[in-house]
Amino acid sequence: MRLYNTLSKRKEEFVPLEEGKVKMYVCGPTVYNFIHIGNARPMIVFDTVRRYFEYKGYEVNYVSNFTDVDDKIIKKAIEEGVSADEVSKRYIAECKKDMEGMNVKPATKHPLATEEICGMIDMIGTLIEKGYAYEKNGTVYFRTRQFKDYGKLSHKNLDDLRSGERSLLVTGEDEKEDPLDFVLWKPKKEGEPAWESPWCEGRPGWHIECSVMSKKYLGEQIDIHAGGEDLVFPHHENEIAQSEAANGKEFAKYWLHNAFLNIDNRKMSKSLGNFRTVREISEQYDLQVLRFFMLSAHYRSPLNFSADLMEASKNGLERIINAAENLKFLMKNASAEEMSEAEKEAYAQTGVFTEKFETAMDDDFNTADAIAAIFDFVKYCNTNTNAKSSKEYLQKLSDLLEKLTDVLGIIVNKEEEILAEDIEKLIEERQAARKARDFARADAIRDELLGKGIVLEDTREGVKWKKA
Ligand code: AMP
Ligand code: ZN
């Protein structure tokens, strides 16, 4: 399996730190609003990376934080006249709903920055002790030049940063030893959430959060650290500096970054105001369509959001779901149970689709080509099955389709949820059909319910139902 490492700027063979295990950290959103579909891109992409590792038999420890203390959260809380905690809790809950809709698996752990302050104070203390950080008037800064490898991820040279990219430097902070130094801890301002610390009552800088949460839940060294490409500098560069200076070890082996989701070829972002929330999209489309759309491009290619592409994704997804439903339909009506010799031979040929799928995914998670392999397989299913196919053969094809689409987080065999009141209504209708001696209709209703996993029992007290 090869993956593109931002650190080396090339594709590398994946070798886990511990055999059969993957330790993975993905920077999560700052929670002050509904997430937009740009934020959804890393969620979907890295959930798919996780699923593929799991498909390959790895045990994945997947940690993704929520940044729940930040200037933007505080600003929103002040606007609404509520606490910052209320704002962040509300949008964490909303974000989790969106993730569920997009079939993004919950992380093994979703740490909250506000619950990890002790660990941050500890790491900042270590950095001061080791000479990598210093305090001035209550603020603690990281001494950037002290960390010799600074710039290794973003491939930036410190002197260029200083002379050429002045806009990156924060002005008005004369107390810093060097303009490149960044904040680890800052004093509280009026009305802001704050915690006691050895330096002042205050709150952590953003970068230290991830270094600490990653260490606590995954250990000092991890396999993969991921996020959107805007995080390469300064966020991930600073995380490396903090973690490697504090722990004296390489932090993450592989750094993965998704390209932007654009709209009219500009990055979708809250600040530009050109965003669409996942919630808005869900009013128009099943979020499976959004997921399919995101995976239709390679994660390192920019992807432009458009109504046309969403429609194309909807149609593509329908083709796959129709094939799955067709297999189910044939299975229900099949008379032959076991595979014939011809079917055994035919089934053996389906290995080429799995191979094509895995080759694509092994090559830096090329989901676009993996989807093409699924389409080939769908075409095969549609042309190589009919009313005479055996149940076993159809079941095997259906299982394979489900297995491959599940890696992409696409659900093809949706169990239709049926409400108790709808079941009761159908039972009444069935009783009426029986009375009218319309046994065909009565049987059809029984089968429909059976298809949804509901079994009917005719008892002396009337018709009873239970889940199969
Ligand atoms: P934020 O809440 O801004 O820290 O973003 C959370 C995650 O979404 C980070 O990994 C960002 O890199 C990513 N992200 C934000 N906007 C976009 C975008 N337009 N396209 C792709 N990823 C994005
Ligand atoms: Zn982070």
Side-chain angles (χ1 to χ4, degrees):
M1 223 169 146
R2 288 161 68 75
L3 29 94
Y4 183 89
N5 191 351
T6 308
L7 205 52
S8 62
K9 286 171 96 177
R10 57 183 179 82
K11 286 184 196 167
E12 292 176 31
E13 189 63 31
F14 179 73
V15 183
L17 288 165
E18 203 181 323
E19 203 172 324
K21 295 194 173 164
V22 180
K23 295 188 199 111
M24 186 167 174
Y25 187 95
V26 181
C27 293
T30 307
V31 277
Y32 64 103
N33 210 328
F34 287 94
I35 57 162
H36 61 68
I37 57 176
N39 303 133
R41 191 169 189 194
M43 287 178 184
I44 291 172
V45 159
F46 298 118
D47 177 63
T48 305
V49 167
R50 171 198 188 162
R51 285 167 180 268
Y52 189 58
F53 276 117
E54 286 172 348
Y55 166 92
K56 288 276 206 169
Y58 287 95
E59 188 188 307
V60 184
N61 193 347
Y62 189 99
V63 176
S64 189
N65 67 299
F66 285 112
T67 295
D68 63 343
V69 54
D70 175 87
D71 289 344
K72 293 174 204 137
I73 302 174
I74 296 167
K75 186 167 168 265
K76 177 98 172 184
I78 293 168
E79 276 166 21
E80 287 191 12
V82 299
S83 68
D85 193 50
E86 187 174 331
V87 170
S88 59
K89 288 234 160 55
R90 183 197 311 150
Y91 290 113
I92 287 171
E94 297 298 352
C95 178
K96 286 187 173 171
K97 279 187 215 161
D98 288 338
M99 284 167 67
E100 197 183 333
M102 297 185 295
N103 200 26
V104 170
K105 285 188 186 187
T108 319
K109 174 76 190 171
H110 282 289
L112 306 183
T114 54
E115 291 177 1
E116 309 292 344
I117 305 287
C118 278
M120 297 180 208
I121 291 173
D122 273 357
M123 192 181 273
I124 297 170
T126 305
L127 289 170
I128 294 176
E129 261 169 44
K130 290 190 165 184
Y132 284 105
Y134 58 95
E135 183 254 347
K136 281 270 172 76
N137 303 320
T139 303
V140 184
Y141 297 99
F142 187 88
R143 193 173 272 129
T144 302
R145 280 180 193 277
Q146 189 73 19
F147 182 68
K148 297 295 169 240
D149 281 341
Y150 195 84
K152 70 174 172 181
L153 180 73
S154 51
H155 308 282
K156 286 182 195 290
N157 174 307
L158 281 193
D159 294 318
D160 289 350
L161 267 182
R162 187 146 191 201
S163 57
E165 300 188 39
R166 288 226 169 256
S167 59
L168 291 171
L169 308 178
V170 182
T171 52
E173 289 182 359
D174 318 339
E175 62 180 14
K176 288 203 269 186
E177 289 176 2
D178 187 314
L180 288 173
D181 296 349
F182 58 89
V183 171
L184 299 173
W185 187 266
K186 55 188 159 193
K188 141 187 196 168
K189 287 195 202 124
E190 192 50 40
E192 288 186 356
W195 291 263
E196 286 297 337
S197 83
W199 315 289
C200 66
E201 206 185 333
R203 62 186 167 101
W206 171 37
H207 316 301
I208 195 75
E209 296 176 8
C210 291
S211 282
V212 168
M213 293 186 273
S214 174
K215 179 175 177 174
K216 176 159 174 192
Y217 296 101
L218 296 169
E220 290 181 345
Q221 286 189 293
I222 67 173
D223 294 288
I224 297 174
H225 197 115
E229 67 180 9
D230 52 339
L231 299 188
V232 174
F233 187 87
H235 185 53
H236 287 165
E237 197 67 78
N238 291 355
E239 278 191 47
I240 291 178
Q242 296 162 157
S243 295
E244 299 193 357
N247 305 327
K249 288 184 184 149
E250 187 186 37
F251 178 27
K253 272 178 87 176
Y254 306 93
W255 289 83
L256 269 50
H257 294 100
N258 64 274
F260 291 142
L261 176 82
N262 293 331
I263 190 157
D264 299 324
N265 298 309
R266 290 180 80 192
K267 180 194 173 194
M268 181 175 287
S269 75
K270 293 217 176 89
S271 52
L272 287 174
N274 60 353
F275 64 90
R276 303 275 296 273
T277 63
V278 171
R279 207 52 68 85
E280 280 164 347
I281 299 296
S282 76
E283 285 159 16
Q284 212 181 338
Y285 293 100
D286 184 329
L287 289 177
Q288 292 272 305
V289 176
L290 180 68
R291 184 163 184 132
F292 196 67
F293 159 76
M294 293 284 185
L295 298 176
S296 64
H298 189 271
Y299 76 94
R300 282 188 295 112
S301 305
L303 177 59
N304 207 38
F305 178 79
S306 74
D308 283 353
L309 278 180
M310 283 296 282
E311 279 305 307
S313 298
K314 184 172 174 236
N315 294 337
L317 184 59
E318 260 167 23
R319 243 164 77 203
I320 300 173
I321 290 173
N322 285 346
E325 282 178 355
N326 189 39
L327 291 173
K328 281 258 138 58
F329 173 81
L330 292 174
M331 231 184 296
K332 229 185 330 184
N333 299 297
S335 46
E337 286 293 331
E338 285 174 16
M339 284 210 276
S340 65
E341 286 308 312
E343 284 178 336
K344 279 183 193 158
E345 261 173 46
Y347 184 71
Q349 286 170 29
T350 61
V352 297
F353 305 113
T354 310
E355 213 170 283
K356 186 173 170 189
F357 179 88
E358 290 183 4
T359 304
M361 292 299 281
D362 281 343
D363 182 16
D364 193 30
F365 313 102
N366 190 336
T367 51
D369 285 1
I371 288 174
I374 291 178
F375 279 136
D376 290 350
F377 180 49
V378 159
K379 197 167 160 201
Y380 171 92
C381 290
N382 291 343
T383 48
N384 289 278
T385 56
N386 56 41
K388 293 197 192 106
S389 302
S390 71
K391 268 200 180 110
E392 190 187 1
Y393 174 61
L394 294 162
Q395 184 70 56
K396 276 185 179 288
L397 295 179
S398 170
D399 289 348
L400 181 56
L401 187 55
E402 194 168 324
K403 192 173 165 196
L404 299 183
T405 49
D406 185 57
V407 173
L408 304 180
I410 297 296
I411 303 166
V412 287
N413 291 320
K414 232 182 201 169
E415 289 294 331
E416 279 178 53
E417 272 292 314
I418 180 161
L419 299 171
E421 60 182 303
D422 293 331
I423 299 173
E424 302 292 347
K425 258 191 220 153
L426 282 168
I427 291 176
E428 268 173 42
E429 205 186 316
R430 176 167 169 265
Q431 293 301 80
R434 278 172 145 192
K435 240 186 189 164
R437 305 191 67 76
D438 182 356
F439 297 114
R441 176 70 191 135
D443 286 349
I445 292 173
R446 174 187 282 267
D447 288 347
E448 184 186 335
L449 285 168
L450 197 59
K452 289 175 180 161
I454 304 297
V455 183
L456 299 186
E457 275 177 343
D458 293 308
T459 70
R460 251 185 255 157
E461 293 87 45
V463 181
K464 290 205 171 139
W465 63 269
K466 62 174 187 198
K467 289 206 166 136

